[in-house]
Amino acid sequence: MNLPEKYAYMATGQPYNDLDPLLIQRRDRATRLTDELNATADPDAKATLFTALVGSAGPRPVVNPNFRCEFGDNIHVGRDFYTNYDVVMLDGAPITIGDAVLFGPKVGLYTSNHLIDPTERAQGGCIAKPITIGNQCWLAANVTVLPGVTIGAGTVIGGGSVVTHDIPEHVLRPITAADRTGFAGQDLI
């Protein structure tokens, strides 16, 4: 069950009521599904549960525990998506992730933010802006991505970074021969 169309305004960056009963119900659903997802070690069951949780997912998602999301409906991932441990996605607005993207431990994608004014915040006021991550990106451990950010294809975000603005493709530097080790997926043990 996806959020009804009337909730599309949440992704516009305009204030919405985070205490809306349907939003609370959808968060509870996401908590139940992520609890189930995190409790199984069966890769096929994990892929099935993840696909049921999110808006769309390409083949071969790998999702390690303890994955958490706010709704799930607004998350769209491409093929060969990999999340390490303790990844959090607050998807009040769409989160779109390309193919062959890797997340290190404790990556956080936060489309939603509470309003600054304390009275509005206490009444449930929030805003949300989409996050987009291009193909073949790697977000290393403890990366935080804030609302409204786009990260271009092929980009590596270093551990502990807080991404507050758009990042173009293939940043931080070109990959050179010095970065290559000769690894070809062979069994090295």
Side-chain angles (χ1 to χ4, degrees):
M1 176 174 127
N2 290 327
L3 289 170
E5 187 61 34
K6 75 176 193 170
Y7 290 89
Y9 69 89
M10 289 172 55
T12 67
Q14 298 300 310
Y16 65 91
N17 182 1
D18 197 44
L19 302 176
D20 180 285
L22 181 60
L23 299 183
I24 292 169
Q25 175 189 352
R26 297 306 292 165
R27 270 190 216 93
D28 290 345
R29 172 193 173 268
T31 299
R32 285 190 306 275
L33 286 173
T34 55
D35 284 348
E36 193 175 342
L37 172 70
N38 293 324
T40 185
D42 178 342
D44 292 331
K46 280 182 173 292
T48 299
L49 286 165
F50 182 74
T51 300
L53 172 65
V54 299
S56 64
R60 298 178 301 277
V62 175
V63 182
N64 286 301
N66 285 308
F67 176 80
R68 291 291 173 196
C69 64
E70 187 172 14
F71 303 111
D73 301 307
N74 288 326
I75 298 171
H76 304 277
V77 303
R79 63 175 171 75
D80 300 318
F81 175 62
Y82 178 88
T83 68
N84 214 314
Y85 299 96
D86 300 320
V87 168
V88 174
M89 296 186 202
L90 297 186
D91 60 311
I95 295 174
T96 305
I97 300 167
D99 295 335
V101 171
L102 291 92
F103 287 171
K106 297 186 179 181
V107 164
L109 306 181
Y110 304 109
T111 68
S112 303
N113 202 358
H114 296 282
L115 296 180
I116 301 300
D117 179 82
T119 302
E120 294 176 339
R121 187 171 58 246
Q123 295 171 355
C126 279
I127 60 166
K129 296 178 183 175
I131 291 174
T132 303
I133 299 173
N135 295 334
Q136 298 180 320
C137 288
W138 173 30
L139 280 59
N142 292 302
V143 167
T144 299
V145 181
L146 297 182
V149 167
T150 295
I151 298 174
T155 298
V156 175
I157 306 295
S161 296
V162 177
V163 185
T164 62
H165 61 277
D166 291 354
I167 306 292
E169 292 185 355
H170 304 289
V171 170
L172 294 175
R173 60 180 171 78
I175 297 172
T176 68
D179 295 306
R180 293 186 177 85
T181 66
F183 179 76
Q186 68 271 23
D187 186 4
L188 299 177
I189 297 176

